[in-house]
Amino acid sequence: MQTREAALERTTKETDIRLRLVLDGQGRAEVSTGFAFADHMLTLMTFWAGFDLELACKGDLEIDAHHSLEDVGLCLGQALAEALGDKAGIERIGWAKVPMDEALAESVVDLSGRAYLVYDDALLPAVIAGEEKDLWREFFKSLAFRAGMNLHLRYEYGLNGHHLLEAAFKATGMALKRAVNRTRQGVASTKGSLD
């Protein structure tokens, strides 16, 4: 079977990003965004998805990490969509619940071609690793909309922001692993196409 992969570059006045994504990988990540906590989260998602990811982002961190993580989400979503191609054979839908100590998060994805994000971050503390919690909603929104996927992400319970986000990124990785898995003949849609 052909390897599903994509590489892209994105340069704006706010960020400079180089990314290579291999869907049929071994969970290896080389991630450098300039924001170590984000590197940790992206590495977790990559590992649990079974993808290989090379990602370098130079952003305007002197302002904050917002532009960097928003643009990383856009690039990762675009690479995912490109690597999937016509989506023939994929399961399309995947889900996972993951605990991390006292926290539990659930992620459900549908690689339908229709973008939507359902995201309730009421349990997250206002600041995590020195950045506002909204940063993570913007990342997941950018990822979902550029990938053309439904992403429903729920923090079910927990006390520690790091633990909640770690569970969410692991769960999203596991859900993506299931969704991109090739187990079908043709496209997983009664209408005959995914868009």
Side-chain angles (χ1 to χ4, degrees), residues 17-20 30-33 42 53-57 72:
I17 297 174
R18 307 284 179 270
L19 182 149
R20 180 172 176 267
E30 294 177 25
V31 178
S32 176
T33 64
L42 292 164
L53 175 65
E54 297 171 18
L55 169 63
C57 173
V72 163

Side-chain angles (χ1 to χ4, degrees), residues 167-185:
F169 272 85
K170 287 177 178 176
T172 301
M174 292 177 72
L176 284 169
K177 180 177 182 133
R178 290 176 176 168
V180 305
N181 192 22
R182 291 185 282 202
T183 61
R184 296 175 167 268
Q185 296 295 319

Side-chain angles (χ1 to χ4, degrees), residues 23 50 75 86 109 185:
L23 299 188
C75 290
D86 65 4
V109 303
Q185 296 295 319

Side-chain angles (χ1 to χ4, degrees), residues 83-137:
L84 284 170
D86 65 4
K87 302 178 190 170
I90 67 167
E91 278 295 305
R92 177 182 150 180
I93 296 170
W95 63 92
K97 278 191 177 189
V98 172
M100 176 64 197
D101 292 349
E102 86 298 343
L104 183 71
E106 178 182 50
S107 182
V108 182
V109 303
D110 180 359
L111 298 171
S112 63
R114 294 181 310 279
Y116 206 88
L117 175 67
V118 175
Y119 184 81
D120 180 1
D121 62 359
L123 287 178
L124 291 180
V127 176
I128 304 168
E131 294 285 341
E132 64 180 1
K133 71 178 182 179
D134 291 346
L135 174 77
W136 303 105
R137 183 185 62 247

Side-chain angles (χ1 to χ4, degrees), residues 10 73-79 81 115 141-149:
R10 175 187 168 95
L74 291 171
C75 290
L76 189 55
Q78 181 178 336
K141 180 178 77 174
S142 297
L143 173 67
F145 276 70
R146 192 55 66 91
M149 73 173 165

